[in-house]
Amino acid sequence: MSTAEETAGAEAQAWAEVTPDAARRLLVAAVEAFAERGYHATTTRDIAGRAGMSPAALYIHYKTKEELLHRISRIGHDKAIDILRTAADGDGSAAERLSDAVRSFVRWHAAQHTTARVVQYELDALGPDARAEIVALRRQTDAAVRGIIQDGVAAGEFDVPDVPGTTLAVLSLCIDVARWFNVNGPRTPDEVGALYADLVLRMVGAKP
C-alpha cells in the first residue's frame, strides 16, 4: 500500500463514530474545506456542495459552521488525549513510554494530516466557550507528556532542566508534522514517527 493510500484510509476512518451518514459526510467535507481554504474563507454552501447536499440539509445536522468546527476539534483532541494517555499509562521505562507517545502522536498527525491541520490550527476561529473547552483538552495533552518527562527526570533517565519548556517543545515538534507532511514525500507516517521518537529522546538526554 502506498503512503497516499494509507493516509487516505486513515482520514476516512477518523470519523467512524459520527452518525448518521449524512452528518459524517458533512463533517468530512468541512475538514477538507477548512484545510484547503481556511475556516473563515469557507462557506456553508462550500461544505454542503462538497458533501453532495443542499445548504438546507446541512442545518439539519449542524446549526452553524462553528458547530462543525467545534465537533471536529473535540473529536480530534479526544483522540490526541487517548493516544498520549495510552502511552503514558503503559508499561516500561519513561524513555520507552515517551518514545511510544511521540511515535504514535506523530504518526496520527502524519496519517491524518488534513484532519490534524484543522484540529490544531483553527482553534482561534472558535467562539469563547468552545475555545475554552478545547484549550482545557490541550492542557490534558500537555499534562500527559509532562508527566512522562517528570517521571524520567525523577528516575534519573532524563536530563531536563526545564520540564514545562521541554514539554512545549516536544508537542510543538509533533504537531507541526500536520503542517508539512506530504504523502508523496520520502517517509511514511511510521518512519516519521520513528525519526521523531529518536529526536525527542535525544532532546531529553535519555540515558542509553
Side-chain angles (χ1 to χ4, degrees):
M1 181 184 294
S2 69
T3 299
E5 290 171 332
E6 179 184 355
T7 55
E11 295 278 6
Q13 290 297 317
W15 312 108
E17 68 269 48
V18 179
T19 57
D21 178 69
R24 182 169 56 253
R25 283 165 49 203
L26 286 163
L27 192 142
V28 170
V31 169
E32 294 172 351
F34 294 158
E36 180 182 315
R37 306 187 62 185
Y39 175 82
H40 293 294
T42 298
T43 66
T44 53
R45 184 175 294 276
D46 293 332
I47 295 168
R50 284 175 182 259
M53 300 165 69
S54 69
L58 184 149
Y59 296 110
I60 295 174
H61 303 283
Y62 302 100
K63 296 177 182 178
T64 64
K65 184 175 70 168
E66 185 191 344
E67 183 179 331
L68 263 168
L69 179 61
H70 180 222
R71 186 81 189 277
I72 292 164
S73 297
R74 177 74 206 213
I75 293 173
H77 281 86
D78 283 344
K79 178 61 177 176
I81 292 169
D82 181 62
I83 288 170
L84 294 174
R85 282 184 174 166
T86 297
D89 296 339
D91 297 327
S93 66
E96 290 169 333
R97 289 183 287 128
L98 183 59
S99 177
D100 287 345
V102 171
R103 187 187 301 266
S104 299
F105 201 46
V106 166
R107 188 189 185 286
W108 184 78
H109 280 83
Q112 298 184 19
H113 56 280
T114 303
T115 295
R117 280 203 305 276
V118 176
V119 169
Q120 299 292 3
Y121 295 111
E122 292 288 358
L123 175 64
D124 288 340
L126 292 171
D129 291 343
R131 189 180 189 281
E133 178 186 335
I134 301 305
V135 167
L137 294 177
R138 290 196 174 200
R139 292 195 185 102
Q140 294 182 46
T141 66
D142 181 276
V145 174
R146 187 172 66 252
I148 301 173
I149 296 175
Q150 287 172 334
D151 287 348
V153 172
E157 292 183 52
F158 301 159
D159 180 13
V160 180
D162 182 349
V163 172
T166 302
T167 300
L168 177 60
V170 169
L171 287 171
S172 297
L173 189 69
C174 296
I175 289 169
D176 197 53
V177 170
R179 184 184 57 78
W180 62 258
F181 185 79
N182 184 343
V183 296
N184 297 314
R187 290 189 172 93
T188 66
D190 282 331
E191 290 169 341
V192 177
L195 171 64
Y196 274 47
D198 180 67
L199 291 173
V200 167
L201 290 181
R202 292 171 185 268
M203 183 188 298
V204 298
K207 303 296 189 293

